[in-house]
Amino acid sequence: MTAVSGTAPSTAATPSLDALWMPFTANKAYKAKPRLLVSAKDMHYRSDDGREILDGTAGLWCVNAGHCRQPIIDAMMQAASTLDYAPAFQMGHPLMFALAERMAEVLPEGMDRVFFSGSGSESVDSALKIALAYHIARGEPDRCLFVGRQRGYHGVGFGGISVGGIETNRKTFAKQLLPHIDHLPHTHDLSKQAFSKGQPAWGGHLADALEEMVAKHGAEKIAAVIVEPLAGSTGVLIPPVGYLQRLRELCTKHGILLIFDEVITGFGRVGAPFAAQAFGVTPDILTVAKGLTNAAVPMGATAVHTKIYDTVVQSTPRGIELFHGYTYSGHPLSAAAALATLDLYQSEGLLTRAATMGPIWEAALHGLRDAPHVIDVRNIGLVGGIELSVRDGTPGARGYDVFTNAFHEQDALIRVTGDIVALSPPLIINEEQIHQLVGKVRSALEATA
């Protein structure tokens, strides 16, 4: 490799950092002081300088069963050596059908039709397209408006950032976003919810804003409401008591589809296989990715209620019913990894383990209430959010310093969104590791101005 002018030549052991444009990363700051992970096992990463890093984020909300689990590795190796690829357009292979059937066994009741994709972003765009196709098939083509929520995150496709409500993700692309969009208010109010344990008691009434949307646009124009049951990427916003139930009631009343984005919450994160089951609210469409394969290989899926599938498919007399799909839909390697992952979740009780470990997690997290800069702690299942006071004139600076200190000095991987620390460890975490992780976060807070 020819070195770029002004940089040292790279080797296999020490690659140049120049060529890669990193996603969702402060590229200049990162390349000035890199953080490189070179291996992983169970609850830990290993850095390029040989340190063992406690994983407080399950990678990126996705490695639910811990790292490099042998049953998943074996399944992927077998699949790769048997069938490297099979097209999903007008063709199929056994693993993709087996996986859809297996997923239907753990999905909320009635949601037993599955459309595969390659990521959470693709799963969301699939959900939006399916919602439009459903209303057209029902004879209501004017239902084309989507209602998202402020501070919502639904991936990075144009559909996802249109219905999403994180303004930093939207502003560069604002002039080309989907036109028929509105947003519910978010549910976060520290003056009424600070230091809640589990679901906040205040805020269920905020779902009534959907009635205002109906009055503004007309129910006959609204195709679907899409929300994360628990908003993760924006900083762990936990649904208030009664909020999701009220959304479900209003959507049913007005003939609007309810879409749950469970890319983060799916596969055990909040103490049940899906947040829909944990909160007792069944949507019409549900998106997943991340934990579906334990992040060993990319895969996403969009699950729908039988009535939606039947309506769309039966409305077309012959030929293709939905002109939508991906080259890698149901990829053999991904399907094999997902099947092995589901087996592992079942054999180790991981889909419900967050409910068992939740009280220990909650007590440890709320022990940070007196730590420097902490203005809120919130939790549910094995998810935690620690909100920090903003350093004067520099929003996000304190959070970033805590993140870098945790990695370089405390040997812990955490995630920050602005000045909010978000924690979501692998579901295999034990009590000792919970206390280790929270102790490392406290040390990072104490070391940060």
Side-chain angles (χ1 to χ4, degrees):
M1 175 184 290
T2 301
V4 177
S5 177
T7 67
S10 64
T11 68
T14 58
S16 169
L17 306 182
D18 296 336
L20 180 63
W21 191 340
M22 300 174 68
F24 278 115
T25 296
N27 278 254
K28 295 188 296 294
Y30 175 89
K31 292 176 182 181
K33 191 174 183 179
R35 295 171 292 278
L36 288 172
L37 304 172
V38 297
S39 65
K41 183 62 179 172
D42 297 332
M43 279 296 303
H44 293 87
Y45 283 105
R46 187 165 294 278
S47 63
D48 64 330
D49 56 359
R51 293 179 298 121
E52 193 173 67
I53 309 295
L54 182 60
D55 184 1
T57 61
L60 198 58
W61 303 87
C62 47
V63 189
N64 290 0
H67 294 276
C68 292
R69 298 301 305 272
Q70 198 62 45
I72 303 173
I73 295 168
D74 291 343
M76 292 170 63
M77 291 177 65
Q78 176 65 31
S81 63
T82 303
L83 180 66
D84 59 343
Y85 175 77
F89 300 177
Q90 306 284 19
M91 297 295 296
H93 61 88
L95 289 179
M96 64 194 295
F97 292 99
L99 177 58
E101 183 177 33
R102 184 69 184 282
M103 287 181 65
E105 294 173 1
V106 295
L107 283 160
E109 185 175 357
M111 304 195 72
D112 55 6
R113 298 293 184 269
V114 180
F115 190 101
F116 289 121
S117 58
S119 67
S121 295
E122 291 178 359
S123 298
V124 167
D125 277 14
S126 296
L128 300 179
K129 288 183 175 181
I130 289 169
L132 294 175
Y134 171 73
H135 288 301
I136 290 171
R138 295 177 65 242
E140 293 191 75
D142 289 339
R143 283 188 182 266
C144 62
L145 185 141
F146 293 113
V147 176
R149 186 169 59 191
Q150 295 170 2
R151 297 186 66 169
Y153 179 73
H154 302 291
V156 295
F158 272 96
I161 58 174
S162 295
V163 296
I166 298 179
E167 288 306 314
T168 51
N169 292 359
R170 292 165 52 88
K171 64 181 182 181
T172 300
F173 319 107
K175 291 185 177 180
Q176 288 290 354
L177 298 183
L178 302 185
H180 304 297
I181 304 290
D182 211 335
H183 290 85
L184 297 166
H186 65 75
T187 62
H188 189 50
D189 187 333
L190 276 187
S191 70
K192 299 178 177 66
Q193 298 171 330
F195 298 101
S196 295
K197 296 179 178 180
Q199 290 185 263
W202 182 92
H205 66 285
L206 295 172
D208 288 333
L210 182 56
E211 289 281 33
E212 298 173 17
M213 302 284 179
V214 169
K216 175 181 176 182
H217 301 287
E220 73 281 0
K221 303 288 187 182
I222 303 176
V225 172
I226 179 169
V227 297
E228 301 160 277
L230 177 151
S233 295
T234 193
V236 184
L237 309 187
I238 295 162
V241 173
Y243 176 85
L244 295 174
Q245 287 80 359
R246 181 59 174 158
L247 276 186
R248 172 72 278 178
E249 177 185 335
L250 292 175
C251 285
T252 301
K253 172 183 174 183
H254 294 294
I256 299 167
L257 295 178
L258 178 60
I259 304 171
F260 275 3
D261 184 339
E262 293 224 33
V263 169
I264 279 177
T265 53
F267 305 103
R269 180 54 56 187
V270 293
F274 299 93
Q277 294 149 331
F279 296 124
V281 179
T282 301
D284 302 293
I285 302 175
L286 185 152
T287 67
V288 297
K290 296 188 183 289
L292 174 57
T293 63
N294 202 47
V297 63
M299 190 178 208
T302 304
V304 305
H305 195 281
T306 313
K307 70 179 181 183
I308 293 176
Y309 173 87
D310 287 346
T311 299
V312 173
V313 170
Q314 297 307 323
S315 69
T316 303
R318 61 181 298 276
I320 295 171
E321 299 96 359
L322 180 67
F323 281 84
H324 174 63
Y326 306 97
T327 299
Y328 299 116
S329 290
H331 190 283
L333 187 66
S334 301
L339 284 164
T341 297
L342 290 173
D343 285 344
L344 197 57
Y345 289 157
Q346 182 177 22
S347 66
E348 297 187 358
L350 296 181
L351 294 180
T352 55
R353 193 168 189 271
T356 302
M357 300 301 292
I360 298 168
W361 176 251
E362 178 177 275
L365 278 183
H366 282 270
L368 292 172
R369 181 169 183 158
D370 66 342
H373 320 303
V374 172
I375 60 174
D376 187 32
V377 177
R378 40 193 183 263
N379 69 281
I380 198 164
L382 279 173
V383 183
I386 304 155
E387 189 156 350
L388 311 179
S389 58
V390 176
R391 190 181 290 158
D392 291 346
T394 53
R398 176 169 284 136
Y400 183 77
D401 287 349
V402 171
F403 164 70
T404 56
N405 182 276
F407 183 83
H408 291 291
E409 306 299 331
Q410 316 305 331
D411 297 339
L413 178 62
I414 64 174
R415 178 163 166 72
V416 293
T417 299
D419 289 299
I420 301 169
V421 176
L423 299 175
S424 57
L427 303 177
I428 62 171
I429 193 170
N430 61 35
E431 183 172 357
E432 179 182 0
Q433 290 163 339
I434 287 174
H435 291 297
Q436 286 176 357
L437 177 60
V438 172
K440 290 173 182 291
V441 172
R442 178 179 283 276
S443 294
L445 290 169
E446 291 173 346
T448 301

